[in-house]
């Protein structure tokens, strides 16, 4: 058991014991670990549940980061990771991980426990770019972007990130999407009052 409460096979319990506890309703699978059924799952716990798959030189990005931040309901497969160090990494990654060999700037990375994850604003920027693609990598990218975009500060920081990186693919369309969310959706017409 770790500080976050996530249990992993091979430690104190075998896979069979953990899965039996799931059948009894005591544990639920979370990431690559297991968590007590009544335990909350804040971002730090979700990040800890994926920690064994991540190299120390990488950070979770895209829909994997959205899941960690609580913006996605389902854990995406494969998990997207990006290099978070200036040097090339040669470590072989797990088959459940899709590696992107482009450096993630230190300002775009936050540590949740010991797990590196892209910040909420950078995650929103990546999801907005994916949502406006003609062939999105993840069909849920738009929905997860809407969840992250609810916070005005995160939305403004994502727009500012695009201003600093204007040559990214689909940047113009992604900024237009974020600005349309900034303006808000039109309000529903007031319901007619009915008295009896």
């Amino acid at each position: 058991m770790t500080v976050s409460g996530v249990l992993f096979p091979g430690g104190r319990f075998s896979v069979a014991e953990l899965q039996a506890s799931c059948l009894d309703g005591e544990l639920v699978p979370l990431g690559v670990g297991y968590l007590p059924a009544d335990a909350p799952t804040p971002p730090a716990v979700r990040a800890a549940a994926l920690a064994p798959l991540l190299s120390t030189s990488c950070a979770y990005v895209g829909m994997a980061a959205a899941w960690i931040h609580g913006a996605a309901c389902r854990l995406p497969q494969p998990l997207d990771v990006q290099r978070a160090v200036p040097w090339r990494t040669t470590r072989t990654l797990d088959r459940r991980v899709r590696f992107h060999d482009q450096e993630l700037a230190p300002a775009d990375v936050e540590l949740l426990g010991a797990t590196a994850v892209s910040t909420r604003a950078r995650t929103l920027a990546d999801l907005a770019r994916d949502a406006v693609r003609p062939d999105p990598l993840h069909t849920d990218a738009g929905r997860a972007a809407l969840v992250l975009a609810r916070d005005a500060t995160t939305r403004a920081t994502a727009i500012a990130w695009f201003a600093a990186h204007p040559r990214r693919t689909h940047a113009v369309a992604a900024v237009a999407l974020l600005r349309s969310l900034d303006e808000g959706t039109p309000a529903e017409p007031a319901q007619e009052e009915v008295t009896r």
Side-chain angles (χ1 to χ4, degrees):
M1 184 184 257
T2 64
V3 176
S4 64
V6 180
L7 299 167
F8 296 101
R12 292 175 43 196
F13 303 102
S14 68
V15 175
E17 290 172 313
L18 292 170
Q19 289 179 346
S21 293
C22 286
L23 290 174
D24 291 340
E26 296 171 4
L27 297 177
V28 292
L30 182 71
V32 294
Y34 297 86
L35 191 67
D38 59 348
T41 58
V45 172
R46 287 179 176 225
L50 295 178
L53 297 178
L54 191 66
S55 163
T56 56
S57 60
C58 296
Y60 284 110
V61 295
M63 284 300 289
W67 182 81
I68 290 171
H69 289 302
C73 297
R74 290 179 296 158
L75 184 64
Q77 293 298 332
L79 300 166
D80 291 313
V81 301
Q82 193 167 334
R83 184 168 48 93
V85 292
W87 57 87
R88 300 270 183 203
T89 174
T90 58
R91 180 171 176 231
T92 305
L93 299 168
D94 191 280
R95 64 178 173 76
R96 296 170 282 187
V97 172
R98 180 178 20 206
F99 177 70
H100 301 277
D101 193 19
Q102 182 178 14
E103 182 184 357
L104 191 62
D108 294 336
V109 178
E110 67 179 313
L111 282 176
L112 296 175
T115 308
V117 182
S118 63
T119 61
R120 292 177 66 85
R122 175 59 193 267
T123 302
L124 175 57
D126 290 342
L127 294 176
R129 286 174 50 216
D130 191 24
V132 298
R133 285 174 51 136
D135 58 338
L137 293 174
H138 300 282
T139 55
D140 294 338
R143 191 173 300 120
L146 285 173
V147 172
L148 287 173
R150 288 180 187 159
D151 179 40
T153 306
T154 302
R155 196 170 53 247
T157 308
I159 292 170
W161 184 87
F162 280 116
H165 303 87
R167 299 188 64 172
R168 294 292 174 123
T169 309
H170 304 295
V172 173
V175 169
L177 172 68
L178 293 175
R179 288 210 170 114
S180 73
L181 297 174
D182 221 3
E183 297 163 3
T185 56
E188 300 244 345
Q191 185 174 355
E192 184 180 318
E193 260 189 65
V194 177
T195 56
R196 297 197 191 259

